[in-house]
Amino acid sequence: MVSIEVKGAYVDFPIFDAKTRSLKKQVLGKVGGPIAAAAKVPVIEALQDITLSMGDGDRVGLVGHNGAGKSTLLRLLSGIYEPTRGTARVTGRIAPVFDLGVGLDPEVSGHENVMIQGLFLGMSRKQMAKRVDDIAEFTELGDYLSLPLRTYSAGMRVRLSLGVVTTIDPEILILDEGLGAVDAAFLAKARERLVDLARRAGALVFASHSDELLRELCTTALWMDEGRIRDHGPLDDVLAAYHARS
């Protein structure tokens, strides 16, 4: 059973500087009254009071300006960030497609990295072995697949990662539209595979600035604003409210 249950979740990031890191300040902060107050570390509340419930078949789009908290929410749902307060429980195999460099080893070949990243995304060696030829054809990397990843350009690394992630069968797909570092022709090719990937997923959370793609893939939406959920409901209703205020 696929499910996402987030209740009253916060994600805080403490801001340390040289003064707050010093041993002297840490010790004084524990024993002195007024000094303790002055020694407190500033904290940014990247997510505030997030409550979200999803199940199999749900397709949720994330909208909001840059810095609104969309990427932090994706990382919370993927298990990369733990809530500082509140709870976040996810049942089902997650495929996070937003940080394409995760799981890659620069010292081994492209072929070996295909296997490594596939295992990182929850696939078996047998499953990945069946996908190698398709991935090689899609990436158009040819003989470079036999070379160490450190010899690749940024665009070539994105091609390799996209080749892997778009062949998996996720139960929960956490997807960010922003890819970058590849040419327009290949990005159009990759977009077709990403759309197919999203349709195969049991549940989808998709962050995008494209209303067209959101309407193609999602039925409901969350509007993120300053780390909070500003609105949640049918996709077109949320998009209308978001554009009216942006």
Side-chain angles (χ1 to χ4, degrees), residues 30-227:
K30 292 176 181 177
V31 299
I35 297 177
K40 287 182 179 178
V41 177
V43 172
I44 293 178
E45 291 184 333
L47 293 179
Q48 305 171 53
D49 198 22
I50 301 296
T51 295
L52 169 64
S53 179
M54 289 181 60
D56 194 29
D58 285 342
R59 299 286 188 269
V60 179
L62 297 185
V63 301
H65 60 77
N66 291 333
K70 300 189 301 298
S71 294
T72 305
L73 180 55
L74 293 181
R75 283 162 173 76
L76 174 70
L77 299 179
S78 300
I80 295 173
Y81 295 155
E82 295 236 353
T84 312
R85 287 164 281 164
T87 60
R89 295 187 175 89
V90 179
T91 302
R93 188 176 66 252
I94 300 173
V97 184
F98 48 81
D99 191 347
L100 295 175
V102 172
L104 296 179
D105 184 341
E107 298 304 320
V108 303
S109 71
H111 282 300
E112 291 172 291
N113 270 294
V114 166
M115 192 64 66
I116 290 171
Q117 193 165 37
L119 294 173
F120 175 80
L121 291 169
M123 305 295 284
S124 69
R125 288 183 178 276
K126 186 176 181 179
Q127 288 173 320
M128 291 310 300
K130 293 179 180 179
R131 290 162 167 78
V132 168
D133 290 343
D134 175 66
I135 292 168
E137 180 180 356
F138 169 72
T139 63
E140 302 173 356
L141 291 174
D143 291 340
Y144 274 98
L145 288 170
S146 299
L147 298 178
L149 192 73
R150 56 182 164 78
T151 66
Y152 288 26
S153 67
M156 292 166 68
R157 291 186 183 213
V158 171
R159 284 175 178 246
L160 182 69
S161 289
L162 279 173
V164 175
V165 301
T166 54
T167 64
I168 63 176
D169 296 313
E171 292 179 335
I172 300 173
L173 179 62
I174 310 294
L175 179 62
D176 193 328
E177 179 192 20
L179 299 173
V182 292
D183 59 85
F186 187 82
L187 189 58
K189 179 180 175 181
R191 183 164 165 168
E192 292 180 9
R193 284 172 68 110
L194 286 169
V195 168
D196 181 62
L197 173 68
R199 288 173 175 161
R200 295 199 311 269
L204 170 69
V205 182
F206 176 39
S208 177
H209 292 289
S210 168
D211 289 4
E212 177 188 356
L213 258 182
L214 287 166
R215 288 191 173 99
E216 186 172 4
L217 297 179
C218 303
T219 55
T220 62
L222 286 175
W223 171 12
M224 296 297 298
D225 185 33
E226 297 184 348

